[in-house]
Amino acid sequence: MRFVLDLNMSRDEKLIDILKDGHNIILIDDFFVELFKSNDPVKTFELNTKILQKYSSQIYYCHDIGILFRLEKIGRPIKKHQLIDMKTTSIIRKLILMPDIFQSQIEKFKIEASKRISEQENFIQENLRKTTQQLSALLKSTASRNAYIVDKEKRLGDIMGTTFLVMERYLIDNKNKKLFWEKPSVIFNYTYILLWRIVDWALKNGITDKPINKLTNDGFDLRYIMYSSYFDDVLTKESWLSECRSDCMLSFKCKQNMGYQNAIN
């Protein structure tokens, strides 16, 4: 089996058991970008990869989500094997086995990580916080909020229908767009996951006061979930990640959803 590893599970004993059983671990770029939120990224890297060192051949690395989006925008839905970047996997395995290499390249990594963190903050501010605030305003009446809280099927159905609408606009010039309604894709899964979190925050009414540096963690988490939707599970201590992933995986089975029916007709 293949599990996407959330940074918060990198030092957990459960990870040792999974690797001992011969399962594989999927890493994404955010696993390394998040290191630079600490005061000592080199030490953090060593601690977070200590368990992985003994099982480096079981570690795989994925292509950046931006690359996958661009491929799908002009092509076909990405398949599982296309997510794995074997060239970078070899580099990552080497870094894990020889952390001194990581330290020698720390300044280069720091520049790239700072850029990525800044981009993530901007994305989250525009696409999560502001959108959540807009939805919160729409759900300000008790009746509207209760409808989403009590009726999960309706809530997930609306998320799915909106996902199809967003995907339709994104793929408007794609000659293969019909395929995207027949099977999962990076575009669908990530859009669904983002919308799921927007609705989740809107119902919690807590996003306005959350500092941007803390909220940025959500941006990384959304990517962990997206990649894990292609593999067997996500290893995380955050329960909402597992719930969101489960709902995303079930989304294409919701055949009676109006958004789905409209999209394929």
Side-chain angles (χ1 to χ4, degrees):
M1 298 178 72
R2 292 185 172 187
F3 300 92
V4 172
L5 179 63
D6 188 347
L7 190 67
N8 63 31
M9 282 290 292
S10 61
R11 308 180 197 181
D12 197 281
E13 290 188 2
K14 182 179 178 181
L15 177 59
I16 299 176
D17 294 334
I18 288 173
L19 288 164
K20 280 183 176 179
D21 288 341
H23 300 300
N24 295 323
I25 295 299
I26 305 296
L27 298 180
I28 64 174
D29 54 358
D30 296 310
F31 181 90
F32 299 99
V33 172
E34 287 194 87
L35 296 172
F36 291 87
K37 293 188 295 182
S38 74
N39 293 326
D40 189 348
V42 173
K43 183 64 175 179
T44 303
F45 174 81
E46 292 177 357
L47 292 173
N48 289 350
T49 59
K50 185 176 181 180
I51 292 175
L52 299 177
Q53 279 186 337
K54 298 179 181 179
Y55 306 92
S56 61
S57 63
Q58 294 166 231
I59 309 303
Y60 292 87
Y61 185 83
C62 285
H63 287 289
D64 178 69
I65 195 171
I67 294 174
L68 302 175
F69 257 77
R70 289 192 291 273
L71 288 173
E72 286 195 339
K73 187 175 181 180
I74 61 174
R76 297 165 176 261
I78 293 292
K79 296 180 180 179
K80 183 189 301 186
H81 73 273
Q82 293 176 286
L83 268 67
I84 302 297
D85 179 354
M86 285 307 301
K87 181 178 179 180
T88 308
T89 291
S90 297
I91 296 173
I92 295 301
R93 289 175 178 176
K94 188 175 182 179
L95 286 176
I96 290 173
L97 286 171
M98 294 180 283
D100 287 347
I101 297 177
F102 179 82
Q103 184 170 5
S104 69
Q105 300 291 318
I106 190 67
E107 290 305 318
K108 182 178 70 174
F109 293 147
K110 186 182 297 184
I111 292 172
E112 180 61 26
S114 296
K115 176 184 174 183
R116 293 290 301 276
I117 292 172
S118 177
E119 290 174 348
Q120 191 69 275
E121 288 178 351
N122 292 334
F123 176 85
I124 289 301
Q125 183 67 26
E126 292 297 320
N127 296 281
L128 185 59
R129 195 198 298 274
K130 288 185 178 180
T131 307
T132 298
Q133 290 170 334
Q134 291 169 359
L135 181 59
S136 295
L138 292 174
L139 295 176
K140 62 182 178 181
S141 73
T142 302
S144 297
R145 286 179 55 79
N146 285 346
Y148 264 12
I149 293 172
V150 174
D151 192 345
K152 184 176 181 179
E153 183 177 349
K154 171 179 171 52
R155 183 170 77 247
L156 297 185
D158 286 351
I159 292 172
M160 184 174 169
T162 304
T163 301
F164 279 118
L165 292 175
V166 173
M167 189 169 68
E168 166 69 25
R169 294 170 185 170
Y170 197 84
L171 298 170
I172 191 168
D173 296 321
N174 190 317
K175 296 179 180 179
N176 302 307
K177 63 182 179 181
K178 183 178 179 181
L179 296 175
F180 288 81
W181 277 266
E182 298 173 354
K183 59 187 69 176
S185 64
V186 171
I187 291 174
F188 178 89
N189 287 10
Y190 186 71
T191 303
Y192 182 97
I193 291 163
L194 174 59
L195 292 173
W196 188 100
R197 190 53 166 163
I198 289 170
V199 173
D200 186 49
W201 270 118
L203 295 177
K204 291 177 177 177
N205 274 335
I207 201 168
T208 300
D209 298 328
K210 196 170 182 68
I212 188 62
N213 62 320
K214 298 294 184 182
L215 190 57
T216 302
N217 292 337
D218 268 28
F220 297 121
D221 290 339
L222 296 174
R223 295 177 184 238
Y224 285 121
I225 302 169
M226 197 294 295
Y227 284 98
S228 73
S229 69
Y230 274 84
F231 297 103
D232 295 291
D233 209 345
V234 57
L235 300 179
T236 182
K237 294 181 179 180
E238 296 281 352
S239 59
W240 77 264
L241 271 72
S242 297
E243 182 184 358
C244 179
R245 179 187 181 277
S246 177
D247 289 340
C248 179
M249 299 297 288
L250 290 171
S251 62
F252 262 86
K253 296 180 181 181
C254 186
K255 301 299 184 183
Q256 294 181 343
N257 180 274
M258 184 176 296
Y260 178 84
Q261 294 297 335
N262 289 340
I264 62 176
N265 288 337

